[in-house]
């Protein structure tokens, strides 16, 4: 009884060389692609580069401060500013901008205006009376990172004008209007009253720590 066997095809040296060439070409193509991407990201011929050529900061003046920052209020306002033309519809000429203005207002007491007799001490040095001015409000400090235009409508003429000028719409008016409204809100709030109370508490605690058992803090407009 005979057993028949099927002979496997032999891999000739020429075929092995072709497979090696193909594998080498494939590896070379992968290396070229990876190297090209790395070179493109490194060179980046179409990218932009920022170069800071600013001059050194120049110190112009130093002023000694003699005031107590007694309180800070944080405010946010939505400014709705609309500008219309007299005889043209809004679609032709006119703008409407919604602007979010956010910032803080500091309330402070200026101790530089303290009178020479602003502090009186009893003979036994157990009681002290202090007269200080009322708190004032600082100018609003708008936070640029939280202030932005979130909606704007412009007429055809305004769009064409902005396109031809090549410059964005000036937002200075929006910032000034937001500062004005925040100032009005700060004046109407209890920010100054809170600053007065904090100033009274601060001075009372400081003088008591110096050994005075009774401390009275009055404001200059009080009897």
């Amino acid at each position: 009884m005979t057993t028949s066997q099927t002979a496997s095809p032999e891999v000739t040296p020429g075929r092995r060389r072709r497979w090696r060439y193909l594998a080498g070409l494939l590896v070379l193509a992968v290396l070229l692609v990876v190297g090209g991407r790395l070179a493109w990201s490194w060179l980046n011929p179409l990218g932009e580069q920022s170069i800071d050529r600013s001059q050194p900061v120049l110190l112009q003046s130093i002023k000694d401060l003699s005031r107590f920052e007694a309180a800070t209020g944080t405010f946010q306002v939505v400014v709705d500013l609309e500008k219309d033309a007299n005889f043209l519809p809004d679609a032709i000429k006119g703008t409407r901008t919604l602007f979010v203005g956010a910032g803080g207002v500091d309330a402070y007491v200026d101790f530089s205006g303290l009178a020479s007799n602003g502090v009186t001490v009893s003979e036994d040095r157990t009681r002290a009376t202090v007269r200080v001015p009322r708190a004032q409000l600082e100018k609003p400090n708008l936070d640029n990172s939280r202030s932005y235009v979130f909606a704007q409508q412009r007429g055809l003429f305004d769009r064409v004008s902005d396109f031809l000028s090549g410059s964005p719409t000036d937002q200075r008016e929006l910032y000034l209007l937001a500062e004005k409204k925040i100032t009005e809100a700060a004046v109407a709030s209890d920010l100054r009253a809170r600053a007065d109370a904090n100033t009274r508490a601060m001075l009372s605690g400081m003088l008591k720590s110096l050994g005075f058992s009774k401390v009275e803090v009055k404001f200059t407009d009080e009897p």
Side-chain angles (χ1 to χ4, degrees):
M1 181 176 181
T2 59
T3 303
S4 60
Q5 294 181 351
T6 303
S8 59
E10 295 183 358
V11 179
T12 62
R15 180 176 295 179
R16 283 198 296 267
R17 284 195 297 271
R18 287 196 295 271
W19 279 109
R20 290 174 182 173
Y21 290 152
L22 290 176
L25 290 175
L26 181 60
V27 172
L28 180 61
V30 172
L31 292 177
L32 288 175
V33 171
V34 174
R37 294 191 62 179
L38 291 176
W40 181 271
S41 61
W42 180 58
L43 296 175
N44 197 10
L46 301 180
E48 295 182 352
Q49 182 180 5
S50 298
I51 302 176
D52 186 2
R53 293 193 174 93
S54 304
Q55 298 297 319
V57 178
L58 177 63
L59 176 62
Q60 293 184 336
S61 64
I62 296 179
K63 181 184 296 184
D64 293 333
L65 297 180
S66 56
R67 66 183 191 180
F68 171 58
E69 300 288 344
T72 299
T74 302
F75 299 86
Q76 179 173 299
V77 61
V78 178
V79 176
D80 187 350
L81 181 61
E82 183 175 0
K83 296 183 178 180
D84 297 327
N86 292 330
F87 304 105
L88 294 175
D90 294 342
I92 301 300
K93 176 65 176 176
T95 61
R96 183 179 180 183
T97 306
L98 297 179
F99 175 78
V100 175
V105 178
D106 295 331
Y108 67 93
V109 176
D110 188 3
F111 290 143
S112 64
L114 195 64
S116 57
N117 58 348
V119 180
T120 56
V121 179
S122 63
E123 294 183 358
D124 57 358
R125 300 190 63 83
T126 60
R127 294 174 298 172
T129 301
V130 185
R131 287 187 174 272
V132 294
R134 291 281 185 180
Q136 305 177 50
L137 295 180
E138 186 64 271
K139 180 182 177 182
N141 183 21
L142 260 63
D143 186 353
N144 292 330
S145 63
R146 298 191 296 124
S147 302
Y148 57 93
V149 174
F150 73 91
Q152 187 176 47
Q153 297 176 353
R154 294 176 297 170
L156 178 60
F157 285 174
D158 299 281
R159 291 177 181 272
V160 173
S161 177
D162 291 343
F163 176 77
L164 294 178
S165 64
S167 60
T169 304
D170 186 16
Q171 298 182 359
R172 177 176 174 80
E173 184 179 6
L174 297 171
Y175 275 86
L176 291 177
L177 190 56
E179 288 182 356
K180 178 182 177 182
K181 291 183 177 296
I182 289 178
T183 299
E184 294 172 351
V187 171
S189 69
D190 64 341
L191 184 58
R192 284 182 295 185
R194 179 71 64 86
D196 288 340
N198 292 342
T199 303
R200 192 190 300 270
M202 183 272 295
L203 291 175
S204 298
M206 182 182 66
L207 292 175
K208 286 181 179 179
S209 66
L210 296 176
F212 293 97
S213 58
K214 184 178 181 181
V215 177
E216 186 177 11
V217 179
K218 293 185 177 181
F219 295 99
T220 53
D221 58 351
E222 294 179 340

